[in-house]
Amino acid sequence: MQKRAIAVHDISCVGRCSLTVALPVLSAAGLNTAIIPTALLSTHTGEFQGYTHLDLSDQLRPIGDHLSTLGLHYDTFYSGYLANGAQADEVLRLMDQLCDEQTHIFVDPAFGDHGRMYSLMDESMPRQMRRLVKCAKTIVPNMTEASYLLEEPWPGEEAAEATVTDFCRRLLELGPENVVVTDVNFRPGQTGIAVLRRGMEKPLYLFHERFEGVFHGTGDVFASFLLAALMNDKPVETAAQIALDMTHFAIEETVRSGEPLRYGMQFEKVLPLFWQRIRTE
Ligand code: PXL
């Protein structure tokens, strides 16, 4: 049977993030992917001015009410960027209506980076996002989001290994089975991730060469590849390695092309390689 996913993120018309990344990546991995948009923006909110923003909170309830009558099973529920903190109520309601015991709830907190929350976020977001994290099987915060979720000061771009390990352990205590933290930069010239699954004594650290610059949408590219690999029955350690490699190659392609970084990562070019990896590993 073909697996089915439901992705709950914003639509940013231009800039390759959230749904314009999640949908193609999950589809390319063979998943039947439904979407529920949380907001509609003309672009993402980093490095663009004058973007439009339509909060779709009032649509989530009628959409959920209708979809719940269809009797469909979703193998994964993938939430990301929310229009505001209060929208967590509606997302929890959607989880309740659309998920069953077998649904892999995958939460990308998607509310900040580089020590700050994104432009349109309100201060309730970390507290509200913690409620989704509690229900999740897998979470993928970056180090900024991890700090906010734990109510810790941001430790800076190059947090020490001991700090990252401590954050991972405490995030696991919030409820999920798998914690994958991105933006781990304690090795000079490298960037990487920490993977802590319940039952592991300490996180597995995986790294790649670091490119200088701010790469918009990388969190979404990484999270979508990670989930796509998990849904193809890879253990979280293997899925994380594949997703890290794919993200690295997508950044490499983008840097090589000279395309402005605000237009997002060229993940399209690595989809054939991704398919090969999930078939052979
Ligand atoms: O990539 C995360 C993201 C998603 N959606 C919107 C954003 C961002 C990051 O800036 O602005 C609208």
Side-chain angles (χ1 to χ4, degrees), residues 109-184:
F111 61 74
D113 209 354
H114 308 293
R116 301 171 52 185
M117 285 204 264
Y118 294 139
S119 299
L120 299 176
M121 298 292 109
D122 59 83
E123 55 144 46
S124 75
M125 187 56 88
R127 173 173 55 81
Q128 294 283 16
M129 194 57 75
R130 237 178 348 255
R131 298 168 68 209
L132 304 193
V133 162
K134 275 199 176 92
C135 302
K137 176 165 176 178
T138 303
I139 61 166
V140 278
N142 58 33
M143 278 299 287
T144 299
E145 292 151 355
S147 313
Y148 277 107
L149 289 169
L150 296 169
E151 297 181 301
E152 286 288 347
W154 183 56
E157 297 288 358
E158 293 172 11
E161 178 173 352
T163 308
V164 184
T165 297
D166 175 56
F167 278 17
C168 288
R169 290 190 172 131
R170 288 165 56 198
L171 287 167
L172 208 60
E173 284 168 12
L174 295 180
E177 266 176 49
N178 305 312
V179 170
V180 181
V181 173
T182 61
D183 227 1
V184 172

Side-chain angles (χ1 to χ4, degrees), residues 18-36:
S18 39
L19 279 181
T20 62
V21 172
L23 182 55
V25 170
L26 295 181
S27 296
L31 292 154
N32 172 354
T33 307
I35 60 166
I36 301 183

Side-chain angles (χ1 to χ4, degrees), residues 63-72 97-98:
I63 289 173
D65 287 347
H66 180 221
L67 296 188
S68 65
T69 66
L70 305 180
L72 297 172
Q97 287 181 308
L98 303 176

Side-chain angles (χ1 to χ4, degrees), residues 3 227-236 238-239 278-279 281:
K3 287 191 181 169
L227 178 57
L230 287 170
M231 284 294 110
N232 278 274
D233 302 321
K234 305 300 167 207
V236 67
T238 313
I278 55 178
R279 287 289 148 251
E281 275 185 37

